[in-house]
Amino acid sequence: QVQLVESGGGLVQAGESLRLSCAASGRTFIISDTKWFRQAPGKEREFVGSIEWNFGITYYADSVKGRFTISRDNAKSTVYLQMNSLKPEDTAVYYCAAVRRDDGFVYWGRGTQVTVSS
């Protein structure tokens, strides 16, 4: 099993930055990559970005490309989401998800709220 805990959310003004963390514990060696998703009120959960654990390859949604950066610290089993130039439309609950290498099963964290005021 793998447990995920997100942290770092909060209330910021437009244009400011936040860094979210996703700390993994348990059998972290079974994870192939970690993804970030977000869900705004009344909207479906959407993909934000991902990072592959071995080589650090990253992917981003077009809506955050150039503003958000995902990184990892393998020693701490932690993935970070650096969010710059935040916009009100970035307001959402942000979730991290870890993909099990063998079969693609996804572990989810409970999420952290990010609110961007205009």
Side-chain angles (χ1 to χ4, degrees):
Q1 292 289 346
V2 173
Q3 295 78 40
L4 303 173
V5 177
E6 302 97 332
S7 62
L11 171 63
V12 297
Q13 293 188 335
E16 294 184 341
S17 300
L18 274 177
R19 188 178 79 157
L20 306 184
S21 299
C22 172
S25 60
R27 303 178 68 205
T28 59
F29 59 89
I30 65 175
I31 298 172
S32 60
D33 58 299
T34 298
K35 304 177 186 292
W36 285 97
F37 291 82
R38 66 186 182 185
Q39 188 166 20
K43 295 188 177 181
E44 293 187 355
R45 191 170 297 188
E46 66 170 346
F47 172 78
V48 173
S50 65
I51 187 165
E52 187 273 339
W53 273 95
N54 285 340
F55 300 103
I57 299 171
T58 55
Y59 298 95
Y60 298 96
D62 288 343
S63 57
V64 306
K65 201 172 293 183
R67 299 188 298 124
F68 291 11
T69 303
I70 299 175
S71 61
R72 80 210 190 286
D73 184 332
N74 288 25
K76 295 181 179 180
S77 298
T78 298
V79 170
Y80 303 98
L81 178 65
Q82 177 67 43
M83 305 185 294
N84 299 329
S85 302
L86 282 162
K87 306 175 181 180
E89 51 263 44
D90 294 318
T91 295
V93 177
Y94 283 71
Y95 300 89
C96 66
V99 182
R100 189 161 64 192
R101 181 177 295 106
D102 289 349
D103 59 4
F105 179 83
V106 180
Y107 299 92
W108 290 92
R110 294 191 173 186
T112 185
Q113 176 71 47
V114 172
T115 304
V116 185
S117 64
S118 57

